[in-house]
Amino acid sequence: MSDGEGTTLILQRGVFSGPVADTEAGLYATVTGGEVERGRHSLRLSPGAAVDTDTYFGRLPAGYFCRWTTLTQVNLGFRYEATGRSELILRGSDHEGAVHDLDHIDLEGSGDVAMTVDLTPFADGGNVWLMFTAGDGSLTIRDLHWSTLTQQPIRAAAVAICTFNRPADCVTTLATLTSDRVVAGQLLTICVTDQGNDRLADQPGYAEVAGQLGDRFVYLQQPNLGGAGGFTRGMIELIARHDDVNLIVMDDDIRCEPESVLRLNAFANLTTAPMMIGAQMLYQMHPTRLHVGAEEADLEKLRAGRWSPHALHDSDMLTERQDRIADAGYNGWWTCLIPAEIVKTMALPIPMFFQWDDIEYGIRANLGGGYRTVTLPGAAVWHMDFAVKDHDDWTHYFSVRNSLITAALHSDFDTTKLSVLLFREIAQYLVSMRYGLALTMVRSIEDFLDGPDALTDGGQQALVDIRTERKRFPETIIEPESSLPGASYDALPQRPAGFPPSKDKFDLVLSKRAAIQLTGRVQRGCVAIPPQNEHWWHVSLFDQVVVTDASGSGYRVRTRDARLARQLTRRTIMLMKRFRADGAGTAQSYHDALPRLTSPENWHRLFKT
């Protein structure tokens, strides 16, 4: 809405229940006394009831607005009806979590509340929220919102979704987005890139949601180029349609909170410079737990998902609050807003197929373009827990290869230190009888050393090759209990682990375990090892082990094969010599090829394959 002083921009709305009935209500508002009826955007408190919005979706992240936007104050508004005398308390926290009252209003009769909240005390962090208490009568709250007046044009958003053989999930995500009329009305276009053979267009419910969006819905089909290819196609399509837009990339299988889209776009419209604004990730299987408040990558160790200083990680958001400001190095593309000018000046993602494409893009945007990333508290979607994904699968190939490409582009790339790190990790797989996983990692390093030509087809052949090669290794296959040695998993001898090796003896213990495995000085027979004890230094003591897959869908049987271990060890030693000799030159080749790899011309070529 507009008036003579500017345009009203809604920063976030008061949401008191989730988008679907079984969403944990405590993430939105806490009933601290009495009986309360919740609507999506309304509350009705019975006499004597009390509600606190010191909750994950209920707080305004004042510190983030103070740090990253032009705001010095925000406006709070809502409608109320009070049959008796009720009250509102405005509360806040500082960066250390200390809570204090900011303001107090008595509510009687009915009307509209409009008040201003000063943000200047929150430069170091902190949040603002509300507490409502009904007196001797009932209290109804409607249409609560935090807003500001802006003189700048408000940029709209468009959503790009990549999907692969998850049509039901994708339809659900689309339907959830369109269920919120305010959010749907703010979206210029929703573009879905379908790379599977189980087509979204054939799914029940597709026609209805597509019809609701009309010409604002774009459905594209193309070969499977992984997440990198699906999201890049959406970026190109949306920028071609809308020159001035905030792009929001979004996974197909998330559980969507539409309010998060509104909050991401509002924040992006106020930042002092163009920034990537990421949604946080809550776990689908543990829906009150936060994956990480903000994350960064450690390229010297080829590790992503490291939590940033002051960031919460694996935290229960029913009991914890992100008061300190956490700076992010990048944001995962389960849901992330990218202003159009970043894409235009930064070029496109690298055709890595899958894994690290979003990480590399975020790092490149920061280091190469000076574009920062903010992972915004109170804006989140639910995504499958990472803990239930066993990395002993084909995806590990892309994780390792692409981490090397990212490190080659954006770090000093010390090949001596990296070769030690890589050899140590492969050795751990070998002593724990994960021969297929060791081969997966070896192949990823070999293909990295082959240079940028490995990305010529966007990863399609690499996917086929690594999945085929892994089939040669029995322990890569998840078995049902009926296929296990012995009567059942529970019938096998259980072998819990002892204490881990100390840091100063880590390599010594690894060498001893390798000798034990190669010479056969192991405990004979098959044993069961609980998932929490599946450590290389423990598994390597046995001749055959059965472990539960992280997904819980079956078991893996690992059997000692000294001949295969020797073959893979020799191959790894030769590979590390090659890595130390050729790694620096390979890194330079990726630098040289980056403009070509990330160009629209290269991507259009891939889309037609």
Side-chain angles (χ1 to χ4, degrees), residues 123 147 175 279 290 365 371 454 505 533 578 603:
S147 67
L290 176 71
Y371 299 114
K505 294 183 178 180
N533 294 149
R578 180 187 170 196
W603 276 108

Side-chain angles (χ1 to χ4, degrees), residues 25-41:
L27 291 171
Y28 294 85
T30 303
V31 177
T32 57
E35 296 183 0
V36 177
E37 295 179 10
R38 299 172 185 257
R40 176 72 167 154
H41 300 287

Side-chain angles (χ1 to χ4, degrees), residues 160-236:
I161 297 175
C162 169
T163 188
F164 176 78
N165 288 346
R166 288 175 174 150
D169 290 337
C170 192
V171 166
T172 298
T173 298
L174 290 170
T176 304
L177 273 176
T178 57
S179 67
D180 190 312
R181 294 183 179 180
V182 172
V183 171
Q186 293 183 1
L187 297 176
L188 295 174
T189 305
I190 298 179
C191 175
V192 175
T193 303
D194 192 343
Q195 302 184 125
N197 47 39
D198 190 359
R199 297 295 187 184
L200 173 67
D202 300 328
Q203 183 69 19
Y206 167 83
E208 180 180 355
V209 73
Q212 290 175 355
L213 289 166
D215 59 5
R216 293 188 299 147
F217 182 66
V218 177
Y219 178 59
L220 305 171
Q221 298 180 44
Q222 68 181 30
N224 184 19
L225 296 168
F231 286 129
T232 301
R233 181 69 181 276
M235 290 180 182
I236 292 173

Side-chain angles (χ1 to χ4, degrees), residues 399-450:
S399 180
V400 174
R401 189 200 68 179
N402 296 347
S403 70
L404 286 167
I405 294 173
T406 303
L409 289 169
H410 305 300
S411 76
D412 294 337
F413 206 68
D414 187 324
T415 56
T416 300
K417 290 182 179 179
L418 285 171
S419 66
V420 172
L421 181 148
L422 293 167
F423 183 84
R424 184 182 289 128
E425 187 169 338
I426 294 171
Q428 292 172 30
Y429 295 152
L430 290 174
V431 301
S432 54
M433 298 173 283
R434 304 174 88 170
Y435 307 116
L437 187 56
L439 183 278
T440 301
M441 192 164 174
V442 166
R443 275 295 316 276
S444 67
I445 301 167
E446 291 173 342
D447 286 0
F448 163 77
L449 291 172
D450 286 344

